[in-house]
């Protein structure tokens, strides 16, 4: 079970997309798992032949649990103890090292139970000198009961899946329509009302708030508490004139069909990504008391989920995409975060994150950094404000940009350079 | 397009961008974006779907006239009549 972000301890294997004997390549999607936050497609990190499935569908297991074994030589398949493929000598992944530090555990004294003897979060927790409370109130209740597996690759929104479990609706009986729209909560509710009620309780009554929401709240709570505990944040902000960006986009959008129109939000993302490349001290991770610069700009985008919760998957190499492509990726990412599936790498790759609360009408946001990242850029709403321009008072479209940064990695002086670079880019939107 | 047809289309498309929205409780004169928590991307999707279903061209400048359920419905009716005149 891969760690899909610093806030994940366990995951439920919802669906295997391969079976023993299948040939897989590095990067292939082999399984679908549910974290507390999203349904995620897990990519294979090796090439070879699937030897054995070790975690059945529906089971919830801790991060680090081997899901399956892969052998690189098909000829070795019959051998019960086929050698595992070679793997980098990393004893523990960066998030696990971070976790160990947090709990005061010396990794040299821990024996790993993970893949190739790697130390997992669970190993660290067991080795912790003090008993740490179990992260979840009633873990037993969260273990999925055996149930019918959805047929084929029917898409189901995470909320609908949760609701189906609560209402006892068999998802196999519901199929997404021909347009590929995922099965939604409303369909599950409708199906539930048509099912004979076994308990005599009216099933149309609104169910308890789903466990998933509670779990997501808890995951966010732990991550944010850790961020504020470990990261000495400092905050800078500046007002940015968006008049030129708006004019450029309005002109371009006039010629485009609605779905291809580029929103100002995409220009803000692009400008942030290019700034992160030019001022690289903010692009990367803080690990083991030092800054590990990112090799590319993978821009995390904070996305609020319908029904509650927050997730910040990354747009890979966002600085290299043109505005139209970035806009398409943003739309795709939001759609998949809310109703479909995210890739595992999208949840772990972000090197810097942007949060845009402008649509909700706030002036500015001083955000909390996602560990182990070292910076978070916030944007408020675009609004017409009185502004001194060339000695005259004018009305300009303005946005407040904020930088929350990790003082261990950078100082305010560098932070100021980040925001001024961002501002300069947005005054020359044609280069974006 | 009649107001009834317009309403039917608007409600259906709103439910597509905000699947768990309680349409019965939505006041016709409240701001759609804040009532249904639509971000700019959601709103763009809504407009794109409305444009595709009605065949009407909708510009960014028109978005302001589509801020509430009622305004959205009458905007589509008005725009469809312009097309025929």
């Amino acid at each position: 079970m891969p760690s899909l972000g610093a806030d994940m301890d366990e995951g439920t294997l919802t669906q295997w997309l391969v079976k023993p004997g299948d040939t897989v390549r590095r990067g292939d999607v082999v399984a679908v798992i549910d974290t507390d936050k999203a349904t995620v497609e897990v990519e294979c990190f090796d090439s070879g032949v699937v030897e054995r499935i070790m975690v059945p569908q529906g089971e919830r297991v801790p991060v680090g649990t081997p899901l399956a074994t892969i052998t690189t030589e098909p000829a070795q398949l019959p051998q019960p103890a086929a050698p595992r493929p070679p793997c980098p000598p990393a004893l523990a992944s960066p998030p696990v090292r971070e976790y160990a530090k947090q709990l005061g555990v010396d990794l040299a004294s821990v024996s790993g139970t993970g893949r190739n003897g790697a130390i997992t979060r669970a190993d660290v927790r067991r080795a912790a000198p003090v008993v740490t409370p179990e992260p979840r109130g009633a873990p037993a209740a969260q273990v999925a009961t055996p149930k019918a597996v959805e047929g084929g690759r029917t898409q189901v929104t995470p909320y609908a899946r949760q609701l189906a479990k609560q209402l006892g609706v068999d998802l196999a009986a519901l199929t997404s329509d021909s347009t590929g729209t995922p099965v939604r909560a409303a369909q599950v509710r409708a199906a539930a009302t048509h099912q004979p009620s076994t308990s005599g309780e009216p099933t149309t009554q609104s169910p308890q708030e789903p466990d998933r929401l509670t779990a997501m709240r808890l995951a966010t709570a732990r991550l944010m508490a850790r961020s504020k505990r470990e990261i000495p944040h400092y905050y800078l902000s500046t007002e940015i004139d968006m008049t030129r960006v708006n004019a450029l986009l309005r002109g371009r959008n006039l010629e485009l069909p609605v779905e291809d129109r580029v929103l100002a939000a995409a220009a803000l993302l692009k400008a942030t990504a290019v700034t992160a490349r030019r001022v690289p001290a903010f692009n990367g991770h803080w690990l083991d008391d030092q800054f590990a610069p990112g090799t590319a700009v993978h821009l995390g985008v904070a996305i609020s989920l319908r029904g509650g919760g927050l997730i910040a998957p990354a747009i890979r190499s966002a600085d290299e995409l043109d505005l139209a492509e970035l806009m398409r990726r943003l739309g795709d990412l939001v759609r998949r975060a809310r109703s479909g599936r995210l890739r595992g790498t999208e949840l772990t790759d972000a090197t810097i994150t942007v949060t845009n609360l402008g649509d909700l009408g706030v002036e500015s946001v001083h955000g909390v950094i996602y560990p182990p990242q070292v910076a978070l850029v916030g944007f408020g709403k675009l609004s017409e404000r009185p502004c001194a321009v060339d000695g005259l008072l004018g009305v300009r479209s303005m946005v407040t940009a904020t930088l929350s940064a990790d003082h261990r990695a950078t100082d305010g002086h560098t932070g100021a350079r980040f925001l001024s670079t961002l501002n300069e880019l947005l005054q020359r939107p044609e280069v974006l | 397009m009649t107001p009834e047809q317009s309403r039917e289309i608007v409600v259906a498309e709103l439910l597509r961008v905000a699947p768990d929205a309680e349409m019965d409780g939505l006041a016709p004169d409240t701001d759609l974006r804040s009532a249904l928590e639509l971000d700019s991307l959601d709103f763009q999707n809504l407009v794109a779907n409305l444009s595709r279903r009605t065949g009407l061209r909708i510009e960014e400048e028109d978005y302001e006239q589509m801020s509430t359920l009622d305004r959205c419905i009458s905007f589509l009716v008005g725009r469809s009549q312009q097309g025929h005149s």
Side-chain angles (χ1 to χ4, degrees):
Chain A
M1 179 62 63
S3 171
L4 303 168
D7 53 351
M8 174 176 166
D9 286 331
E10 297 179 326
T12 303
L13 203 142
T14 35
Q15 193 180 3
W16 276 110
L17 304 174
V18 294
K19 58 184 188 306
D22 284 358
T23 303
V24 290
R25 280 187 313 268
R26 184 188 166 85
D28 284 355
V29 174
V30 291
V32 180
I33 64 173
D34 261 8
T35 71
D36 292 334
K37 291 190 159 188
T39 304
V40 183
E41 294 182 330
V42 177
E43 293 153 52
C44 196
F45 37 69
D46 260 313
S47 300
V49 173
V50 178
E51 187 190 18
R52 195 155 67 88
I53 301 286
M54 298 172 78
V55 174
Q57 294 188 145
E59 195 152 302
R60 186 177 173 98
V61 295
V63 165
T65 309
L67 298 180
T69 54
I70 293 169
T71 157
T72 45
E73 291 295 325
Q76 289 172 338
L77 253 182
Q79 296 177 9
R84 290 184 174 186
C87 131
L91 195 63
S93 66
V96 171
R97 284 206 295 275
E98 188 71 16
Y99 186 55
K101 210 176 81 193
Q102 195 184 320
L103 297 184
V105 170
D106 178 11
L107 285 175
S109 66
V110 182
S111 63
T113 61
R115 189 169 161 270
N116 290 328
I119 296 169
T120 66
R121 279 178 85 90
D123 295 332
V124 172
R125 196 184 303 135
R126 274 194 293 277
V130 258
V131 179
T132 52
E134 271 300 309
R136 268 162 249 289
Q142 302 233 352
V143 174
T145 47
K147 56 166 185 174
V149 173
E150 312 70 279
R153 296 201 52 183
T154 299
Q155 298 233 338
V156 183
T157 70
Y159 179 58
R161 194 186 298 279
Q162 186 71 40
L163 201 61
K165 204 194 273 181
Q166 277 176 2
L167 299 177
V169 172
D170 182 6
L171 284 172
L174 296 174
T175 48
S176 55
D177 60 30
S178 54
T179 61
T181 314
V183 172
R184 295 193 178 283
Q187 284 167 264
V188 174
R189 283 202 200 94
T193 57
H194 292 123
Q195 278 184 352
S197 171
T198 47
S199 59
E201 292 279 310
T203 48
T204 44
Q205 279 214 331
S206 85
Q208 290 268 307
E209 203 58 13
D211 293 347
R212 186 182 193 108
L213 261 184
T214 317
M216 173 169 308
R217 195 65 256 159
L218 198 59
T220 305
R222 284 206 304 268
L223 187 67
M224 294 296 111
R226 179 186 148 196
S227 173
K228 280 287 186 164
R229 196 166 54 237
E230 291 179 5
I231 303 179
H233 287 62
Y234 69 88
Y235 307 95
L236 304 173
S237 74
T238 194
E239 300 243 304
I240 294 180
D241 188 341
M242 291 290 284
T243 309
R244 289 193 182 90
V245 173
N246 286 348
L248 179 90
L249 295 182
R250 202 177 304 124
R252 284 191 195 169
N253 286 344
L254 267 180
E255 294 156 27
L256 294 173
V258 185
E259 55 269 27
D260 293 340
R261 287 177 194 164
V262 175
L263 296 167
L268 292 174
L269 290 184
K270 178 70 191 290
T272 305
V274 173
T275 304
R277 187 180 66 207
R278 293 195 184 168
V279 192
F282 297 88
N283 186 62
H285 296 155
W286 184 264
L287 298 167
D288 297 332
D289 283 335
Q290 58 180 335
F291 177 63
T295 50
V297 180
H298 300 318
L299 193 66
V301 183
I303 297 170
S304 61
L305 303 177
R306 301 214 155 275
L310 185 67
I311 198 162
I315 298 176
R316 295 178 62 87
S317 300
D319 57 322
E320 292 170 8
L321 306 174
D322 65 34
L323 274 181
E325 179 60 21
L326 190 62
M327 185 68 209
R328 270 193 292 279
R329 298 280 187 92
L330 175 65
D332 175 58
L333 199 63
V334 171
R335 194 160 39 245
R336 286 189 294 115
R338 288 185 178 160
S339 65
R341 288 171 177 173
L342 292 167
R343 287 292 186 96
T345 47
E346 290 173 327
L347 288 176
T348 51
D349 275 357
T351 52
I352 183 171
T353 294
V354 171
T355 182
N356 188 335
L357 290 184
D359 290 325
L360 294 175
V362 298
E363 291 283 339
S364 65
V365 46
H366 295 79
V368 179
I369 299 168
Y370 281 81
Q373 295 166 41
V374 298
L376 181 128
V377 179
F379 294 105
K381 71 172 172 188
L382 258 77
S383 60
E384 304 267 290
R385 296 177 209 170
C387 201
V389 187
D390 298 331
L392 290 171
L393 193 62
V395 174
R396 312 286 286 184
S397 183
M398 306 294 287
V399 68
T400 303
T402 53
L403 173 70
S404 307
D406 185 337
H407 219 325
R408 296 173 302 180
T410 58
D411 301 322
H413 183 81
T414 324
R417 196 148 58 80
F418 185 96
L419 284 182
S420 66
T421 304
L422 181 65
N423 189 9
E424 283 160 26
L425 282 168
L426 289 165
Q427 302 320 308
R428 293 186 298 131
E430 61 284 351
V431 303
L432 290 177
Chain B
M1 189 189 308
T2 67
E4 289 71 30
Q5 289 167 328
S6 175
R7 170 180 300 275
E8 195 175 310
I9 292 171
V10 172
V11 168
E13 293 308 326
L14 277 172
L15 279 170
R16 242 158 64 131
V17 292
D20 294 313
E22 297 288 339
M23 295 305 294
D24 295 340
L26 182 70
D29 57 349
T30 38
D31 187 79
L32 286 175
R33 295 191 200 216
S34 53
L36 301 180
E37 291 191 1
L38 305 181
D39 58 28
S40 50
L41 207 62
D42 294 326
F43 198 79
Q44 172 143 313
N45 288 336
L46 171 70
V47 175
N49 294 339
L50 288 175
S51 176
R52 199 178 305 119
R53 265 189 76 168
T54 58
L56 298 171
R57 174 118 192 124
I58 306 174
E59 300 298 345
E60 281 185 307
E61 280 78 2
D62 301 324
Y63 293 3
E64 209 187 310
Q65 298 178 53
M66 304 171 72
S67 56
T68 70
L69 183 60
D70 272 357
R71 297 189 75 192
C72 223
I73 291 165
S74 35
F75 169 80
L76 290 183
V77 173
R79 181 57 54 95
S80 70
Q81 284 161 356
Q82 281 171 25
H84 293 298
S85 60

